[in-house]
Amino acid sequence: MNKQTTPISVAQRLATVAQILELPEYSWASNSYIRSLIYNAEERFGSGGTRLPGNGFAPAVIRIGGKVLIDLDEFDAFVERHRMEPKRVEAETPCNTNDQAKGEKG
């Protein structure tokens, strides 16, 4: 029997927190922000036994022993999922124009 296996992507972008902080495209991120994302990635229980939901970052975290790696493609997807919708700009209506105050004369 021949088993076909799914090829593993060797082009996966993995980095440690320290490596991420050195990359110019992640200059906006801080050490404490990324570590907070990692800590809160999975569902956990609070001190009173309350269930605290994860933040959705778990797919980006890879733990091997004590080493923590971040999948940069998943990190980018996480950031995009949290993008706020662009503000809707509606046409401005003047609230008090000279024409309205004086009455239009034709």
Side-chain angles (χ1 to χ4, degrees), residues 54-77:
N55 60 16
F57 194 63
V61 180
I62 300 168
R63 294 180 190 264
I64 302 173
K67 183 73 115 180
V68 177
L69 299 172
I70 305 298
D71 181 337
L72 296 178
D73 294 326
E74 287 290 336
F75 185 35
D76 293 340

Side-chain angles (χ1 to χ4, degrees), residues 19-64:
Q19 290 170 332
I20 290 173
L21 297 174
E22 293 175 3
L23 298 172
E25 61 265 31
Y26 299 104
S27 61
W28 54 267
S30 67
N31 184 33
S32 60
Y33 172 70
I34 296 173
R35 292 193 183 280
S36 173
L37 287 176
I38 294 167
Y39 179 78
N40 296 311
E42 295 180 318
E43 184 177 277
R44 62 206 182 283
F45 291 96
S47 60
T50 57
R51 185 177 298 217
L52 302 172
N55 60 16
F57 194 63
V61 180
I62 300 168
R63 294 180 190 264
I64 302 173

Side-chain angles (χ1 to χ4, degrees), residues 1 18 25 27 31 46 48 58 78 85 87 89 96 101 104:
M1 279 169 82
E25 61 265 31
S27 61
N31 184 33
F78 175 82
E85 289 186 33
K87 183 178 179 183
V89 179
N96 188 10
E104 289 188 5

